[in-house]
Amino acid sequence: MKKLFTMSLLLSVMGVSSASANWWELQTVCRRDPSTCYTSMGIGYESGYWDPTHECWGQKYICGAALKTPQDDSKLMTKKQIASRDGINSDFDTDILNGDCFGVRKTMSNGSQATYNGNTVNVYCPGILENIYSDNLIENVATGSILKRNTQPSCKELSEYEYVNVRNGKCYGKRYAESEYYIDCSRGDNDVRLIILNGAEYNQPMGDNPTTMDAARDIFDHMVEISAKQRNK
């Protein structure tokens, strides 16, 4: 009889407790914090990782190429690490998705220039740099490719493949066939001259034509000087 009384008392207490509050709503029950670090997370995010500095769920994948020490795999980073650019190359924009991770090389001038080692470099049209340099020196961007070295393509390097370093739409590099033009690099990379051949063979002098490049340049300079005087008149 005593056992029966105890059991009925326990049942009545449980009934009162469940009537006042559901057990899963009690404060003593551990629940997952619903706050997230980003308003929406899909490709490029890992929602199951906790961000201890911002106390929210979600970390961001930063592309390996966008790190100061480049690597093949992307790296999960917290909001604080990304904001402080901790280990991130300043040449890259980590707000732009690049495949399945964030980090795209910064470009400007409608994509015709990019940032490399903190400097602005030209973006060359597809296929130009590939003809001249090895693959490890080339990086592709949306509008073409850049040369990954501090010294950029010289007039001589480009002219050997019949290209001149001038803007061509959203990239640099125009082709001038050597059968029609002579690309003169003698004055340096910043003062390149195009000589229209009009069918002449600049490398095969005949008759009274100049026999050396220096002699040809002297004649050309003299022609330019005379033309300038005529225009002034």
Side-chain angles (χ1 to χ4, degrees), residues 30-44:
C30 295
R31 294 190 299 275
R32 173 173 169 147
D33 190 332
S35 61
T36 56
C37 299
Y38 302 94
T39 55
S40 62
M41 285 183 281
I43 299 175

Side-chain angles (χ1 to χ4, degrees), residues 46-62:
E46 187 58 69
S47 59
Y49 276 71
W50 179 255
D51 186 333
T53 55
H54 281 72
E55 296 185 348
C56 56
W57 290 98
Q59 292 190 27
K60 201 172 176 180
Y61 282 106
I62 302 301

Side-chain angles (χ1 to χ4, degrees), residues 162-174:
E162 303 181 341
Y163 286 101
V164 174
N165 187 11
V166 295
R167 186 164 176 171
N168 185 12
K170 293 185 178 181
C171 52
Y172 277 77
K174 282 190 176 182

Side-chain angles (χ1 to χ4, degrees), residues 142-214:
T143 51
S145 55
I146 65 168
L147 182 61
K148 296 192 297 181
R149 71 179 192 190
N150 291 327
T151 55
Q152 290 299 294
S154 67
C155 172
K156 184 177 180 181
E157 288 174 319
L158 292 171
S159 67
E160 289 179 356
Y161 291 86
E162 303 181 341
Y163 286 101
V164 174
N165 187 11
V166 295
R167 186 164 176 171
N168 185 12
K170 293 185 178 181
C171 52
Y172 277 77
K174 282 190 176 182
R175 184 174 179 274
Y176 292 90
E178 63 179 11
S179 61
E180 301 176 21
Y181 299 91
Y182 170 62
I183 303 171
D184 182 12
C185 301
S186 63
R187 297 190 175 190
D189 295 332
N190 297 322
D191 189 13
V192 180
R193 297 188 298 183
L194 275 178
I195 300 175
I196 302 175
L197 299 177
N198 289 329
E201 293 290 341
Y202 71 88
N203 57 350
Q204 296 181 12
M206 298 174 61
D208 295 331
N209 291 339
T211 57
T212 65
M213 288 305 303
D214 288 338

Side-chain angles (χ1 to χ4, degrees), residues 37-142:
C37 299
Y38 302 94
T39 55
S40 62
M41 285 183 281
I43 299 175
Y45 295 93
E46 187 58 69
S47 59
Y49 276 71
W50 179 255
D51 186 333
T53 55
H54 281 72
E55 296 185 348
C56 56
W57 290 98
Q59 292 190 27
K60 201 172 176 180
Y61 282 106
I62 302 301
C63 299
L67 303 176
K68 287 183 178 178
T69 303
Q71 60 186 46
D72 294 333
D73 299 326
S74 54
K75 180 180 180 181
L76 273 176
M77 302 186 76
T78 65
K79 295 186 77 172
K80 182 179 180 180
Q81 289 174 318
I82 295 171
S84 64
R85 308 295 293 182
D86 182 16
I88 298 176
N89 188 334
S90 60
D91 292 341
F92 287 79
D93 187 341
T94 53
D95 290 328
I96 301 177
L97 186 65
N98 184 10
D100 58 358
C101 56
F102 286 85
V104 174
R105 187 174 291 279
K106 296 175 183 176
T107 59
M108 62 283 297
S109 302
N110 201 24
S112 65
Q113 293 183 308
T115 303
Y116 178 74
N117 280 351
N119 299 315
T120 300
V121 298
N122 291 338
V123 175
Y124 289 87
C125 298
I128 295 178
L129 297 183
E130 290 80 354
N131 287 330
I132 308 173
Y133 307 100
S134 58
D135 292 340
N136 64 315
L137 287 175
I138 301 171
E139 179 182 317
N140 293 326
V141 296

